[in-house]
Each structure stands twice: as C-alpha cells, then as structure tokens.
Amino acid sequence: MAAFLRRLVTAAPALRYNALCGQSRIESSKFRFPIGTITAITGGISYMFYASTSNLVHLAPNSEEDGQKVALKPDKWIEFELQDVARVSHNTNLYRFSFDPSEKLGVDVASCIVTRAPIDKDEQGEVKYVARSYTPISDPEAKGYFDLLIKIYPQGKMTQHFAKLKPGDKLEVKGPIRKLKYSPNMKKHIGMIAGGTGITPMLQVIDAIAKNQDDITQVSLIFANVSADDILLKEKLDKLAACHPNIKVFYTVSNPPKGWKGGKGHVSKDMIIKCLPSPGNDALILVCGPPGMMKHICGPKNKDFTQGELGGLLKDLGYSKDMVFKF
C-alpha cells in the first residue's frame, strides 16, 4: 500500500512511457493504472436536493439494453466501495472504487456520473444531500473499478466529503449523464477550450480519438490554467500530442513562470484564431470551464442546463450556435 501511495504521489510529473504510445502505466506493488485512465480531473454541476427528490439531470439509458453487464443504474443510487486513495498534488487526490469484476461501469463518451453525500436534515427530518457530477478517469471498457481524480476545495461540500473518505467507505452514485454523444469522424476538426477542471470531458473525447486508428479527427486544444503547476496532466497531454499528429495542445496560464513558452493570460481571440478550426460545417468547438470563462468564451448555459444562446469571443469570431457545444 505504501508503495502504491508513493508512486501515485509522483504520478503527474513522473509518468513512465514505453516505446509504444498509449501503453504507458503508473505502477505500484498492488495496482496498475494505465495512463489512458488517468485522463480527467473533476468537472460538473452541483445540485442540492432532498432524499425523495426525483432525477434532476438527464440520465442516459442503461447499456444493459445492449447485452452488457453494467454497474450503474440511471434510476437508482448504487453504493460503490472505496478501494484506495492517493494524493496526486497539494489539492488533488486519486480515488479508486470497486464493484463486480464481471461488470463495466456503464459510461460512454462523453458522459459523467452523479455522486451524492448527506450533509444535513430539514425541519421535517428529511435528509438533505449535496450532489455533484464527475467524469470517471477510467477506460469505459474497464471492469470491476472506476477512478476519479478529485480536486479538493476548502468550501466544497462534495469535495470535503471525498477528503474524509477512507478505504472501505461507500459512495452513492447514479448515472450515467450523457453530455455529448461522440462518434468517430463526426467532424473533420474539433476545437476545445478548457479551463482548469474543465479538461475532464475534453480528455474523454481525446482518448477515444487517440485509441481508435480509424478516427482521423483533427483535435486542437487550448488549455487555460492559473499557473503551470495547475496543469496536472500536462505530461499525458504532451505525450498524446507527440504520438498523434492529429492532436495539438496549446497551454495558456495567468501567472506564467520565468521562461514560459506558452500563452499568457486568459484565452483571447488571437489564440482562438491561431489554434482552433475556423467556423464551418466540419468544425465543432467544445468549451468547459468556470462560469467566468464560459461567459467570456461562449456565453453561459441556461439555468436548466440547456445550451443557451451563443455569446462571448466565439460569437464575435463568427461561429454559430450549432458549431459550439458547452459542457
């Protein structure tokens, strides 16, 4: 166990790659984490509701309809046991949850799951929960486990619950929530703008493209962060770009270190023009990040989580609503 934890502590800066792209592994004495699974940090929307509340999000059909055994249920909270947890950075932990080894989790690209935790009771004694959606970092084809990479926020009700979890504890999960139904070669060129933990769904799509030799989609990602140290998965992204000519990554940070060669400051019109596909029927721009960034880039989603009107830089640059998808 100690070796497992020590190995994962250095996961972000010290990933080891073999000669074959896409076959990298983070290893420990007990577990092996294919680097293809270490592909996302948390992202999603928080919900507060009572125990008796019905679904508040659109849940995808259960894939058992296709004859596959899956662990998730779209209409039922399922408990998953925490198998291991390891610190990856000063504010980010890796969590592995286990279930029946003959089953897949039941997610597709691009989708996430909903987790919940009790936080209080109302005047009638009804349990109140906080719930948040997260994108599993595991390969959708993995059986018996799923991994979450969680950034812990001091005031985050759900992430503080994660911070207190110990191996053997249970987490309630429902889903999946389908955000975007991705299919190979659905567009000639996909542009992506991610801020911080908004990298989650982008990496899910990138990994699907990278592991499919028949998918020749061009991918261009602008990844914005506060500092270079906040780019937890930079080495993985760099390796994907090095191994796959159709994948390009551009980083921009608000507080660049000395000698920084990437972008500086917030995502700008100039960055979008230089890095992303021009407006057109064969282009799609995916955007995910904090509210301020969403407003700046593409305009916010509606309160009911539908796409909303297109605004921000993308509208100014001539993109239309059907060329942009907001996660």
Side-chain angles (χ1 to χ4, degrees), residues 28-199:
S28 74
S29 58
K30 288 187 65 178
F31 301 105
R32 290 188 173 187
F33 286 88
I35 191 57
T37 71
I38 308 299
T39 61
I41 50 186
T42 61
I45 302 171
S46 294
Y47 307 92
M48 189 80 69
F49 54 94
Y50 294 107
S52 59
T53 304
S54 61
N55 299 344
L56 296 181
V57 293
H58 172 69
L59 298 173
N62 194 300
S63 61
E64 283 186 349
E65 295 176 0
D66 300 326
Q68 301 178 17
K69 291 180 64 178
V70 299
L72 284 173
K73 304 294 181 186
D75 56 355
K76 181 181 179 181
W77 292 103
I78 304 294
E79 288 188 337
F80 293 88
E81 182 175 326
L82 178 61
Q83 184 174 341
D84 273 295
V85 58
R87 174 166 288 225
V88 176
S89 76
H90 70 284
N91 62 1
T92 305
N93 296 332
L94 177 67
Y95 297 83
R96 169 163 288 188
F97 295 90
S98 60
F99 53 91
D100 187 335
S102 69
E103 297 178 340
K104 298 178 183 178
L105 183 59
V107 297
D108 57 14
V109 180
S111 62
C112 60
I113 60 177
V114 183
T115 65
R116 75 172 183 177
I119 60 166
D120 203 354
K121 290 186 178 181
D122 64 11
E123 296 178 354
Q124 289 73 41
E126 293 268 7
V127 178
K128 293 177 67 176
Y129 294 88
V130 62
R132 189 168 178 85
S133 60
Y134 295 100
T135 301
I137 64 175
S138 323
D139 188 318
E141 299 300 310
K143 292 184 178 181
Y145 72 91
F146 69 92
D147 300 329
L148 297 175
L149 195 60
I150 306 291
K151 185 174 182 179
I152 307 298
Y153 294 94
Q155 304 302 319
K157 291 183 174 66
M158 190 69 217
T159 63
Q160 284 300 311
H161 176 74
F162 270 102
K164 297 173 184 176
L165 290 178
K166 302 180 297 296
D169 290 344
K170 303 293 180 62
L171 178 72
E172 287 190 289
V173 179
K174 181 189 285 189
I177 304 173
R178 180 175 293 157
K179 296 295 189 73
L180 171 72
K181 179 59 177 176
Y182 178 78
S183 58
N185 302 304
M186 60 185 284
K187 294 291 182 178
K188 182 179 293 185
H189 196 164
I190 294 180
M192 301 176 174
I193 304 174
T197 58
I199 193 64

Side-chain angles (χ1 to χ4, degrees), residues 299-318:
K301 295 176 74 171
N302 290 328
K303 291 182 178 180
D304 62 358
F305 310 117
T306 53
Q307 289 290 292
E309 293 301 316
L310 181 63
L313 300 184
L314 294 180
K315 181 178 180 180
D316 293 343
L317 289 171

Side-chain angles (χ1 to χ4, degrees), residues 1-17 25-29 31 33 86-88:
M1 179 62 65
F4 166 68
L5 293 174
R6 286 196 301 269
R7 188 66 180 171
L8 286 176
V9 165
T10 57
L15 300 178
R16 295 188 294 120
Y17 300 97
R25 293 181 179 273
I26 300 172
E27 298 187 11
S28 74
S29 58
F31 301 105
F33 286 88
R87 174 166 288 225
V88 176

